[in-house]
Amino acid sequence: MWKPLQGEGGWDGEVIGRRRNGELYPKHVAISVVRNEQGDITNYVAAFSDITERKRAEEEARASRLERAAERGPDGLKT
């Protein structure tokens, strides 16, 4: 994360957050650097998005695809 922030001026990706109740959850983070007139990094600006529902939907879709594949025979045809 630090290399792209310092070189390209930004980074985005997924991290694990912790809710106040202690529960872990996935979130998307986008971070940009703020530079002064000399080009030195003075601040970081970050936006966080809770992606719990998106990840749940992706997992359900993956499980559904695996279930459909398991219903098919080794040649890919429905048995």
Side-chain angles (χ1 to χ4, degrees):
M1 164 181 11
W2 291 108
K3 195 172 192 177
L5 275 172
Q6 301 205 351
E8 300 164 20
W11 178 86
D12 73 290
E14 294 180 12
V15 298
I16 300 297
R18 184 179 303 271
R19 300 187 195 284
R20 288 184 181 175
N21 66 5
E23 175 188 12
L24 299 177
Y25 71 101
K27 61 184 178 179
H28 180 265
V29 181
I31 306 171
S32 295
V33 299
V34 177
R35 297 180 185 272
N36 62 18
E37 293 176 359
Q38 291 76 34
D40 300 322
I41 296 173
T42 58
N43 293 292
Y44 297 92
V45 177
F48 300 87
S49 300
D50 184 339
I51 57 173
T52 302
E53 291 304 316
R54 187 189 86 197
K55 295 298 251 180
R56 185 174 294 130
E58 289 172 356
E59 179 58 30
E60 287 173 5
R62 185 182 74 76
S64 178
R65 285 191 305 272
L66 289 173
E67 186 177 303
R68 285 194 308 270
E71 291 174 355
R72 299 182 183 276
D75 57 2
L77 300 175
K78 192 137 176 115
T79 56

